[in-house]
Amino acid sequence: MASRAQIPTSNSALIAMIADEDTVVGFLLAGVGNVDLRRKTNYLIVDSKTTVKQIEDAFKEFTAREDIAVVLISQYVANMIRFLVDSYNKPVPAILEIPSKDHPYDPAHDSVLSRVKYLFSAESVASGRR
Amino acid sequence: MEVEQEKPSLENVQARQQEKQREGEVVIVEEEEEQQQQVEEGEENANVLQFMDSMDAYLTLIHSLSSTIRQGWLELASARHSMGASRVNTVLLDHKFHPAATTLLVTQDEGKVDSMKQHFTLCKWASSGNEKCSLGEAKSGQDKLHPQLRHRASSQLYEEKTSSEYKASHEVDDQVQKERSKSLSVFGTLVSPKLRAAQLSFETALETLVEIANTRSAVLCAFDKVNKKLGGSKG
């Protein structure tokens, strides 16, 4: 599953966001926003004009950065890049799927729950105990 | 004749004694194996319980987050309604260099060197160097202070300590309020109380998100342990 590499500890790691406008504005009000010297932000606002490529690039960038500990992503946005999100298996940054205004949270699509749900299948438990 | 008859019976006795000894050893080994099995089953049950508990906590926290965020959206919509859509807009966001005021502290789980469990701690409004970490960390700091206070070497020292603590916490609160106002000032000098309420709701949502991150880590850790056992029993 996750790699056995040493988990990097960090004194002040950032929270990145890939979400709709209202969610991003709300968390920016809570002080999460960061703009570095190259004017790179730790958030991507997703609207009707945002392409899947832009979302993929932002996800890859945020998960590769060492100064980011958590990536918040709206679940409906995560569904657009589901293959990428589900294939991600590093412990840090942690990917947290959050609800959005127009798309309430659906546990069936959550990447963590989909990873562990097979344990709840009667068939898999029975086959394991034979 | 009699001596010859005694010899076979002695040999028989020795043979029987050796057989009993072997049987005794086998019984001991079987008992040890049974104990080992019971210990392993106990560990397996503990892992499964831990997994189920962390799953339950994860789902409960997600539900709590959904309601907190929903409240935040409603307050934001209300602020937009009273202040105007042009005043609560992402166009106004500051794109000049500025560090995040709210950050995370990531540490590895204590106790096990090769543990994959990481721990996240929220540090709110820390851009001025005045770190205000989440309640859990603040409480552990206070617990360290209390044993010293209980000694009460002198009442004056106790009073000095409490007054300095009061001043320090007052300063921290002032600093936090400053940082909150700075964050709100992006949307203008005079902002709607609903926008302030939205800010607090999203701060609460952040705290819940950090708990979710820690619970997620616990779920995946417990899942790995349960999966290993299942994999071992299949193989």
Side-chain angles (χ1 to χ4, degrees):
Chain A
M1 279 212 116
S3 65
R4 289 274 169 193
Q6 192 74 10
I7 296 165
T9 58
S10 181
N11 283 331
S12 59
L14 302 172
I15 300 171
M17 294 170 287
I18 306 174
D20 56 277
E21 183 181 347
D22 277 6
T23 307
V24 170
V25 165
F27 284 118
L28 290 181
L29 279 172
V32 154
N34 184 84
V35 181
D36 66 10
L37 290 164
R38 288 175 292 175
R39 293 204 169 183
K40 270 193 167 177
T41 60
N42 61 330
Y43 56 88
L44 172 72
I45 297 170
V46 177
D47 55 21
S48 52
K49 294 173 191 168
T50 313
T51 62
V52 174
K53 178 81 175 49
Q54 282 175 306
I55 298 169
E56 274 181 14
D57 290 343
F59 183 84
K60 286 175 185 169
E61 186 204 325
F62 292 153
T63 49
R65 276 171 67 168
E66 287 181 0
D67 59 344
I68 290 176
V70 165
V71 177
L72 305 180
I73 181 167
S74 292
Q75 198 176 48
Y76 84 98
V77 175
N79 286 340
M80 293 180 198
I81 54 167
R82 182 51 65 194
F83 177 72
L84 210 57
V85 171
D86 283 352
S87 61
Y88 176 83
N89 58 7
K90 290 183 202 163
V92 175
I95 311 299
L96 302 182
E97 294 180 33
I98 57 176
S100 65
K101 275 193 316 186
D102 303 322
H103 303 87
Y105 175 76
D106 182 4
H109 287 123
D110 187 292
S111 60
V112 171
L113 297 179
S114 58
R115 236 189 268 186
V116 305
K117 71 179 179 186
Y118 90 92
L119 278 180
F120 297 98
S121 155
E123 195 180 350
S124 68
V125 168
S127 64
R129 290 197 183 274
R130 272 180 212 143
Chain B
M1 281 283 286
E2 285 176 0
V3 170
E4 281 175 5
Q5 280 174 359
E6 275 176 15
K7 272 187 188 173
S9 64
L10 267 173
E11 279 171 7
N12 284 342
V13 164
Q14 278 177 357
R16 270 183 229 137
Q17 277 178 352
Q18 280 174 1
E19 209 177 296
K20 277 186 186 172
Q21 205 176 357
R22 264 183 243 126
E23 278 173 17
E25 281 172 5
V26 165
V27 165
I28 289 169
V29 165
E30 279 176 0
E31 278 177 2
E32 279 178 0
E33 278 177 7
E34 209 178 297
Q35 276 178 5
Q36 185 65 25
Q37 218 173 6
Q38 282 175 356
V39 165
E40 280 175 9
E41 271 179 24
E43 275 178 13
E44 206 177 305
N45 290 338
N47 287 338
V48 170
L49 275 173
Q50 196 182 3
F51 172 68
M52 299 299 282
D53 278 345
S54 51
M55 279 286 295
D56 182 56
Y58 183 79
L59 289 168
T60 307
L61 285 168
I62 295 265
H63 182 73
S64 166
L65 173 76
S66 294
S67 58
T68 309
I69 281 191
R70 203 176 307 126
Q71 189 182 345
W73 289 325
L74 282 170
E75 283 156 353
L76 203 57
S78 189
R80 193 176 276 127
H81 178 74
S82 61
M83 290 167 64
S86 56
R87 282 193 62 195
V88 183
N89 208 310
T90 49
V91 171
L92 302 167
L93 292 176
D94 190 7
H95 286 277
K96 291 179 201 167
F97 165 72
H98 69 269
T102 298
T103 55
L104 289 174
L105 173 67
V106 185
T107 50
Q108 203 167 351
D109 195 21
E110 289 169 14
K112 292 181 183 176
V113 173
D114 60 346
S115 167
M116 289 305 295
K117 207 172 160 189
Q118 64 280 9
H119 191 264
F120 300 91
T121 311
L122 185 67
C123 295
K124 284 163 58 173
W125 306 115
S127 70
S128 55
N130 190 19
E131 292 189 10
K132 188 188 183 221
C133 285
S134 64
L135 280 172
E137 299 298 312
K139 267 187 185 172
S140 65
Q142 281 173 15
D143 286 342
K144 284 173 191 168
L145 280 173
H146 282 159
Q148 295 173 20
L149 293 174
R150 284 191 196 114
H151 285 309
R152 298 197 181 192
S154 70
S155 60
Q156 197 180 359
L157 184 64
Y158 173 70
E159 281 171 11
E160 277 175 8
K161 273 187 181 172
T162 48
S163 69
S164 65
E165 277 169 30
Y166 175 75
K167 274 183 196 170
S169 67
H170 208 63
E171 278 171 15
V172 165
D173 286 342
D174 283 343
Q175 205 61 39
V176 165
Q177 286 309 319
K178 247 187 187 177
E179 293 291 338
R180 282 202 178 112
S181 304
K182 199 172 153 186
S183 188
L184 284 168
S185 65
V186 168
F187 301 101
T189 320
L190 289 171
V191 294
S192 163
K194 285 291 180 184
L195 197 65
R196 293 182 195 274
Q199 186 180 48
L200 291 174
S201 294
F202 277 97
E203 276 185 44
T204 309
L206 265 182
E207 287 165 14
T208 311
L209 278 164
V210 171
E211 282 184 57
I212 290 174
N214 288 325
T215 310
R216 172 187 177 274
S217 175
V219 165
L220 293 175
C221 196
F223 172 71
D224 272 345
K225 288 180 190 170
V226 170
N227 213 17
K228 264 184 202 168
K229 280 288 176 186
L230 279 178
S233 61
K234 275 181 189 172

